[in-house]
Amino acid sequence: VQLVVESGGGLVQPGGSLRLSCVASGSIFSSNGMGWFRQAPGKQRELVAAISSGDMTTYADSVKGRFTITRDNAKNTVYLQMNSLQPEDTAVYYCNTLSKKFAWGQGTQVTVSS
């Protein structure tokens, strides 16, 4: 079973920053595009940032210019640097391949509140 473990979430004030990490098991990480997804209470899970196996990145309009996704294939890890956080960014954040090949992890809670 291919697994992921997300970490780095927490409580932050509006305008603050967090860096999320996602470590993946197995051998498929480096050959797959990876994404960070988030799910807010009462809403569907949405893709907010993606990085291809060749390091091309795309972002949802809501996070463009504030979030940066990177990957380290040697560590089977994908990161999400989140700056200028706003209350609407509050959600549980998950990572997976873009085709969702991993079992979903528990995610990491991000709460933006004063």
Side-chain angles (χ1 to χ4, degrees), residues 6-10 20-21 36 91-94 105-111:
E6 302 94 347
S7 64
L20 307 184
S21 299
W36 279 98
V92 180
Y93 284 72
Y94 304 86
Q106 292 191 340
T108 186
Q109 175 71 48
V110 172
T111 303

Side-chain angles (χ1 to χ4, degrees), residues 6 35-39 45 92-96 104-107:
E6 302 94 347
W36 279 98
F37 303 77
R38 70 185 180 188
Q39 187 167 20
R45 193 171 297 179
V92 180
Y93 284 72
Y94 304 86
C95 71
N96 211 321
W104 288 102
Q106 292 191 340

Side-chain angles (χ1 to χ4, degrees), residues 27-101:
S27 59
I28 68 171
F29 178 86
S30 62
S31 61
N32 279 268
M34 293 295 298
W36 279 98
F37 303 77
R38 70 185 180 188
Q39 187 167 20
K43 295 187 177 181
Q44 289 189 336
R45 193 171 297 179
E46 62 172 345
L47 177 66
V48 296
I51 185 166
S52 72
S53 57
D55 288 343
M56 292 185 65
T57 59
T58 57
Y59 300 91
D61 287 344
S62 59
V63 307
K64 200 171 294 183
R66 300 188 296 122
F67 290 11
T68 302
I69 186 171
T70 56
R71 65 189 299 161
D72 184 339
N73 290 337
K75 296 181 179 179
N76 269 21
T77 301
V78 61
Y79 304 97
L80 187 67
Q81 177 67 43
M82 305 187 296
N83 299 328
S84 302
L85 283 161
Q86 300 301 319
E88 52 265 35
D89 296 317
T90 295
V92 180
Y93 284 72
Y94 304 86
C95 71
N96 211 321
T97 69
L98 298 181
S99 55
K100 305 179 183 68
K101 293 179 180 177

